[in-house]
Structures are given as C-alpha cells and as structure tokens.
C-alpha cells in the first residue's frame, strides 16, 4: 500500500535518525564500510529514478508505452523485482528472455522452447546446436541461462531437456539398392 505524505515524512525522520547513528559507531572500518554501502545504494536508486524520469519524459501519452520502457530497462526492472512490484509473472519474463535470445540461437542453427517454470527452476528444450558441435551446444545453453537469469533473477537453475529426435533426413543405404539387381561375382 502506498504511503501517505505523513507516513513518508515519518519514515524520512526515522531514516535520518538511523543514519546519524552510523557516525557514532566505534569501529572506524565498520563505520566507513556502512557509509560506503549506503552511498552505493543511494547512487543505485538515484540512477534508477533518473532512468524512470527519462523514460517518462520520452514516452508518449500512452501509459502502456511507459510501462514497456520501464520494464525493458534492466535496472528499473530489477528494482521492481526487489520490491515485489514487477507486474509480469516469472513465466512471462522467462518467455520474453527466450524471445530476446532466440535470434542469437537461430544464427547458430538453434532454437529454444520453454517447457515449464517450477519454483526456482526453468526447464527448457534446446533444438539444434551448430551442426552437433558440443562446444556450440554449450555456448547456446549458456546464452539461454544468462538471458533467463537476467530477466528472472529468482530462477536459480535452468535445466535443458534433450531435444526431440529430428526426423530422419538420410536415406538408408538398403533403400538405395531396393529393386535393383544384385551384382554377381
């Protein structure tokens, strides 16, 4: 539930009190570390707010266009996740990640299919793999894993199922000679 203005003012006052207590920490190293961590966090949120404002200014009057821009911004999207504000489900974010990585996979003769998201595990099936090259298959698998975990950090494991056998494209040797006379010696 969003805060009312008076709730925000009270929270700011409590936060300022807590921040002033940092200066009283007896351990200089702990005080410096806590202050640096807090400054890094403030910079992170400042950058996020700057991006939100930039997206808001550049978006047309459409709220859906603004939302799309915000969700496409990796930093904004991650902070929405941290605060449980992201509007998309895990499955939708994983599916979008697979769509984003699909052109790369196709350029290497591969493709990917989402089978399921179960808790913190996404199960996918890879198709093709650069003409069967094991290292290429591993590269494609890594690209999928990186795309999924970037879009859905709550996914801690991406498992790949065996690709379904491709239809037989070779003509069996026996079929080549069917109906032809057998050579005699």
């Amino acid at each position: 539930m969003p805060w009312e203005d008076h709730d925000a003012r009270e929270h700011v006052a409590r936060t300022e009190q807590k921040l002033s207590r940092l200066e009283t920490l007896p351990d200089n190293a702990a005080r410096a570390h806590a202050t640096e961590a807090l400054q890094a966090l403030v910079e992170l949120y400042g950058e996020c707010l700057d991006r939100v404002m930039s997206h808001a200014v550049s978006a047309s009057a459409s709220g859906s266009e603004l939302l799309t821009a915000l969700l496409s911004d990796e930093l904004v999207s991650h902070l929405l996740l941290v605060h449980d504000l992201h509007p998309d489900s895990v499955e939708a974010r994983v599916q979008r990640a697979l769509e984003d990585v699909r052109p790369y996979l196709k350029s290497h003769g591969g493709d990917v299919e989402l089978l399921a998201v179960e808790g913190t595990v996404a199960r996918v099936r890879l198709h093709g793999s650069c003409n069967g090259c094991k290292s290429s298959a591993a590269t494609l698998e890594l690209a999928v894993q990186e795309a999924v975990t970037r879009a859905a950090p709550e996914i801690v494991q991406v498992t790949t199922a065996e690709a379904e056998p491709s239809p037989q494209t070779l003509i069996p040797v026996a079929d080549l000679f069917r109906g032809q006379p057998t050579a005699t010696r």
Side-chain angles (χ1 to χ4, degrees):
M1 172 185 279
W3 292 345
E4 297 291 328
D5 286 343
H6 71 277
D7 296 324
R9 283 190 296 274
E10 287 176 6
H11 191 80
V12 166
R14 283 193 309 275
T15 302
E16 287 176 350
Q17 288 174 345
K18 292 176 182 183
L19 290 174
S20 67
R21 289 186 205 141
L22 282 179
E23 296 172 8
T24 65
L25 288 174
D27 184 336
N28 290 337
R31 182 173 56 246
H33 182 71
T35 301
E36 288 174 17
L38 182 61
Q39 287 171 339
L41 187 61
V42 168
E43 288 173 10
L44 179 71
Y45 277 82
E47 174 63 21
C48 185
L49 287 172
D50 183 50
R51 291 179 183 201
V52 167
M53 294 305 294
S54 293
H55 291 305
V57 167
S58 64
S60 70
S62 166
S64 64
E65 185 178 313
L66 174 59
L67 183 59
T68 298
L70 293 173
L71 297 179
S72 297
D73 186 300
E74 189 174 344
L75 176 61
V76 175
S77 184
H78 281 291
L79 288 177
L80 290 172
L81 287 170
V82 165
H83 295 284
D84 200 24
L85 297 171
H86 203 290
D88 293 342
S89 68
V90 175
E91 291 86 2
R93 288 183 280 120
V94 169
Q95 195 65 260
R96 189 170 41 251
L98 297 180
E99 289 299 320
D100 290 346
V101 78
R102 187 163 277 124
Y104 172 74
L105 298 177
K106 287 189 178 212
S107 75
H108 291 281
D111 201 359
V112 65
E113 165 189 8
L114 177 62
L115 299 176
V117 173
E118 299 161 340
T120 61
V121 177
R123 289 187 313 112
V124 300
R125 176 174 289 130
L126 290 174
H127 301 279
S129 61
C130 294
N131 300 324
C133 173
K134 295 284 186 194
S135 64
S136 295
T139 300
L140 298 183
E141 191 171 328
L142 183 61
V144 168
Q145 289 173 352
E146 288 175 353
V148 168
T149 56
R150 189 172 42 253
E154 61 269 62
I155 297 295
V156 296
Q157 184 180 13
V158 178
T159 61
T160 54
E162 290 294 318
E164 295 175 354
S166 47
Q168 188 174 3
T169 56
L170 298 176
I171 300 171
V173 174
D175 289 351
L176 292 174
F177 300 103
R178 189 173 293 157
Q180 294 182 2
T182 311
T184 57
R185 292 185 182 217

